[in-house]
Amino acid sequence: MRLLGAILAGGQSRRFGSDKAEALFEGQALLDHVAEALRPQVAELVVSGKQWPGLETVTDLPEAGLGPLGGLAGALDHAWRQDFDAVLSSGCDIIGLPTSLYALLGTGPAIAEDMPIVGLWPVSARTALLDWLADPQNRSVYRFADHINARRVALDASLRNINRPEDLP
């Protein structure tokens, strides 16, 4: 299976007060921690919704400001155009991602049970997601995952979502 890794980084970081992707954890930017975990599992790694040194940027679809699903739609579209089979995704503000995430999620579609933006999405979900996003009420990752019958997988990893500065260990 040819996997695209996608780091979703198009958010406004309102609760954090500054750009979460750049926030330091153990001396390294949060986004770089995510990149380190995903890179060995994928053929290519991109960032959705943000410029980042050394990584290709994909644009949120159908437009910016739609939350994580807009970033995922952009990544799925890029994967479709580049003949990837699936997208392995994470937010830029997740620490504790296992380097065996792909194996743990198994066949897609699948999401981390307690953190749905961490997921494995077949490229075939691209059309369903773009159709889903046409309704302004459809912005929930959990609801979209349920819509496409994604499995919820309990990971043994201790994933942490960093939303506020005090969330950093």
Side-chain angles (χ1 to χ4, degrees), residues 48 52 59 68-69 84 88 93 119 124:
S48 290
W52 196 260
T59 304
L69 288 176
F84 285 90
L88 185 63
D93 56 354
S124 61

Side-chain angles (χ1 to χ4, degrees), residues 140-162:
S140 166
V141 180
Y142 276 121
R143 285 186 51 227
F144 175 69
D146 290 344
H147 176 70
I148 63 168
N149 298 312
R151 290 177 307 101
R152 294 183 185 201
V153 178
L155 300 177
D156 289 333
S158 297
L159 301 180
R160 296 203 46 201
N161 185 354
I162 307 302

Side-chain angles (χ1 to χ4, degrees), residues 9-26:
Q12 297 178 0
S13 302
R14 278 178 260 180
R15 289 178 283 178
F16 198 80
S18 62
D19 190 345
K20 286 192 282 186
E22 297 175 3
L24 297 180
F25 170 65
E26 296 180 349

Side-chain angles (χ1 to χ4, degrees), residues 103-124:
L104 293 169
L105 289 173
T107 57
I111 60 171
E113 165 177 81
D114 57 349
M115 209 156 299
I117 204 57
V118 174
L120 180 62
W121 311 90
V123 170
S124 61

Side-chain angles (χ1 to χ4, degrees), residues 74-122:
L76 283 167
D77 186 69
H78 178 82
W80 175 73
R81 293 178 189 283
Q82 300 297 318
D83 293 321
F84 285 90
D85 299 303
V87 171
L88 185 63
S89 69
S90 175
C92 69
D93 56 354
I94 308 292
I95 55 176
L97 285 172
T99 55
S100 59
L101 180 62
Y102 169 63
L104 293 169
L105 289 173
T107 57
I111 60 171
E113 165 177 81
D114 57 349
M115 209 156 299
I117 204 57
V118 174
L120 180 62
W121 311 90

